[in-house]
Amino acid sequence: MEMVIGKKIAHGSSNGLLRAAGIGGLALTGVWLLLAQAFAFEVASPVAAQDYKLKAANFVFRTTGCADPGKVQVSALGEGIVDGARRSVQMTVHASSKPGAWAIQRQWDAGRWVVVLKGACGELQAGAIVPVREYGFIREAVKLYSHAPAPGEVDAALKALQ
Amino acid sequence: MKLRDHLPIVEAPESVWRGIEEAIDRGSGKAACSRLWWGWAIAAAAVVMVGVGTWWFSMHRGGWIETNASTGKKLQISDIGSVDMGPNTRLRIVSDLPGQHRLSLAHGFIHAKITAPPRIFSVDTKSGTAVDLGCEYAMQMDEDGSGDLRVSAGWVEFEWKGTETLVPAGALCKIRPVRGPELPYFEDSSLEFEHAIGRNDVASILRLARARDTLTLWHLLSRVESNKREVVYDRIASLISLPATVSKGPVLALDPAALNQLKEELAWKW
């Protein structure tokens, strides 16, 4: 009899644990789905686009997390400091032969520059600040946002380049 | 300096030109007409032979180009780019055709800057062939076939006995005689990681790898024994969140399409 009760108690406890584990799992799955579906930029070396015409680009980028990739809109603005003066240049975004990947080629003079990326997927927004060199970009200094970068964030990124 | 400057000139035989001149000089009549006809036929055949000969020579026989201990040399590769030869370098032109520019590097140093579509330009060495995939790179090769390949823009594929090693910008690959290319790695990876590659120490390579070092791990997948592939794949998956489109099974079976899909995804971290 005790054995039966014991079993029942153990069974009840096991049910509770299972329920808790189930709820936890669902919550984790929800968080994972949210993260997995977050609309964001991804910035990489030109080899990622696998397009030889863009091999001399400073960097390439794509977006992730847009349910309808065909609706993604992107733009790029160069923000720099040349001889102590702030400069802004609208950048040409080059589409790669690989759908959904774009490239930024050097369109600036001497000085310190960051490229500010803005992206939209319907209501969703994404942003990135990419510090660039004469050739290439500074991978470890790239900042990704779930919004269009604010002026203060751009200023901070330029200041960090000093 | 242009590559075609080093190709031998193949002339039509003197008898062909004599035949043509005689036929023209000999005037009218049936016999003359017939001779003239034969003369033209021989001339046409000679032109074809000269063309074929030139093509054969350009494909198979180029002269050796050498630099001494103190000077280099710049070679213009048609309109697709250039190759700078360092001092003490010896190379040969294997072919110089619009769709195929091929050099053979015996030893020394070259820096190639090519703007052609992939696979138009390649360099043979004792330990394999560097195939341009749209790139700029430097290659050092010793007489025994050991050397290294450093890529500064685009990609280079190094082919050796059916093994293909992809070296993207910022990465390098050491080349060993008999053993061929080692695993490629990024120049900013740790010295410890580089040494682990040199020792072929798989456990250390996996332990020390960063997300960017999945370049090395991707190559490792097809170079370890089949029972170790899963460990390598799992390490890649722990470093980079792979999309659902990448399937583990086909990758472990070394399915070319699956490996290519995995590479294209990982390249966003390279």
Side-chain angles (χ1 to χ4, degrees):
Chain A
M1 188 64 182
E2 281 174 354
M3 290 288 283
V4 174
I5 290 168
K7 268 189 181 174
K8 276 182 179 172
I9 290 166
H11 197 65
S13 172
S14 167
N15 271 345
L17 279 172
L18 278 174
R19 206 172 294 127
I23 292 166
L26 279 173
L28 279 173
T29 306
V31 169
W32 180 83
L33 279 173
L34 275 175
L35 287 174
Q37 289 174 355
F39 177 55
F41 277 111
E42 193 166 10
V43 179
S45 144
V47 294
Q50 315 227 345
D51 183 339
Y52 82 94
K53 287 179 183 165
L54 299 175
K55 72 171 185 179
N58 282 72
F59 65 89
V60 296
F61 64 94
R62 67 178 179 179
T63 61
T64 55
C66 183
D68 187 354
K71 285 189 176 168
V72 171
Q73 289 184 316
V74 295
S75 65
L77 187 69
E79 296 277 6
I81 296 175
V82 182
D83 296 329
R86 184 70 180 266
R87 297 264 304 274
S88 292
V89 178
Q90 193 65 46
M91 298 265 159
T92 302
V93 176
H94 301 272
S96 90
S97 57
K98 212 172 199 36
W102 297 273
I104 295 291
Q105 293 180 320
R106 191 178 175 199
Q107 301 159 56
W108 52 86
D109 301 321
R112 296 186 306 276
W113 289 85
V114 296
V115 176
V116 180
L117 299 177
K118 293 176 186 175
C121 164
E123 297 287 301
L124 300 172
Q125 288 204 331
I129 299 177
V130 186
V132 286
R133 299 188 182 105
E134 186 177 0
Y135 302 105
F137 69 108
I138 306 169
R139 184 185 295 267
E140 54 282 4
V142 173
K143 304 274 185 201
L144 301 174
Y145 304 95
S146 57
H147 55 266
E153 289 165 332
V154 176
D155 290 343
L158 276 172
K159 199 174 175 185
L161 285 179
Q162 287 177 346
Chain B
M1 174 183 282
K2 297 205 169 184
L3 290 190
R4 66 187 75 249
D5 296 341
H6 294 271
L7 296 175
I9 296 167
V10 182
E11 292 184 353
E14 189 57 34
S15 59
V16 170
W17 300 115
R18 248 195 333 265
I20 295 169
E21 283 166 4
E22 282 170 13
I24 293 168
D25 290 344
R26 264 196 287 267
S28 59
K30 260 189 180 178
C33 261
S34 173
R35 277 196 294 275
L36 190 62
W37 188 91
W38 275 106
W40 280 112
I42 291 166
V47 167
V48 170
M49 281 170 67
V50 167
V52 170
T54 305
W55 175 81
W56 190 90
F57 273 107
S58 69
M59 284 297 288
H60 297 93
R61 290 213 198 139
W64 284 100
I65 305 168
E66 291 188 70
T67 55
N68 61 30
S70 57
T71 55
K73 198 173 273 186
K74 192 182 192 82
L75 296 178
Q76 189 64 37
I77 310 293
S78 183
D79 57 351
I80 63 163
S82 61
V83 171
D84 287 311
M85 295 171 66
N88 286 327
T89 298
R90 188 166 196 253
L91 63 74
R92 187 169 65 97
I93 300 149
V94 180
S95 77
D96 184 27
L97 296 171
Q100 189 189 12
H101 299 275
R102 199 175 187 100
L103 303 180
S104 174
L105 175 64
H107 62 80
F109 173 86
I110 58 167
H111 179 264
K113 197 171 180 178
I114 303 296
T115 55
R119 300 188 181 281
I120 299 285
F121 176 75
S122 56
V123 179
D124 295 329
T125 73
K126 278 180 186 164
S127 302
T129 301
V131 181
D132 170 90
L133 300 180
C135 61
E136 182 176 346
Y137 68 90
M139 185 157 62
Q140 168 73 43
M141 188 59 56
D142 294 338
E143 287 188 38
D144 68 351
S146 62
D148 56 55
L149 170 69
R150 289 168 195 267
V151 180
S152 47
W155 294 84
V156 175
E157 184 179 274
F158 198 86
E159 297 174 351
W160 179 78
K161 291 187 179 176
T163 306
E164 291 172 356
T165 303
L166 289 165
V167 189
L172 72 100
C173 177
K174 288 185 177 163
I175 300 154
R176 300 283 174 242
V178 186
R179 281 162 47 199
E182 287 185 350
L183 292 165
Y185 60 93
F186 281 103
E187 297 200 53
D188 66 355
S189 57
S190 69
L191 205 59
E192 210 181 347
F193 186 72
E194 185 186 331
H195 289 163
I197 290 170
R199 296 193 309 271
N200 206 22
D201 176 355
V202 174
S204 296
I205 292 170
L206 294 177
R207 180 173 54 82
L208 295 165
R210 309 161 297 165
R212 203 178 185 207
D213 297 323
T214 48
L215 165 73
T216 307
L217 303 192
W218 182 82
H219 284 85
L220 191 58
L221 270 172
S222 53
R223 297 194 192 183
V224 292
E225 295 89 1
S226 55
N227 61 348
K228 287 185 183 166
R229 275 181 214 145
E230 189 165 12
V231 184
V232 178
Y233 182 91
D234 289 346
R235 180 60 177 144
I236 290 172
S238 75
L239 289 166
I240 292 179
S241 173
L242 296 173
T245 48
V246 174
S247 309
K248 186 175 179 177
V251 169
L252 296 185
L254 301 184
D255 172 65
L259 281 172
N260 191 52
Q261 193 179 22
L262 177 63
K263 179 195 75 189
E264 288 189 1
E265 192 55 41
L266 298 180
W268 282 90
K269 305 294 178 195
W270 296 351

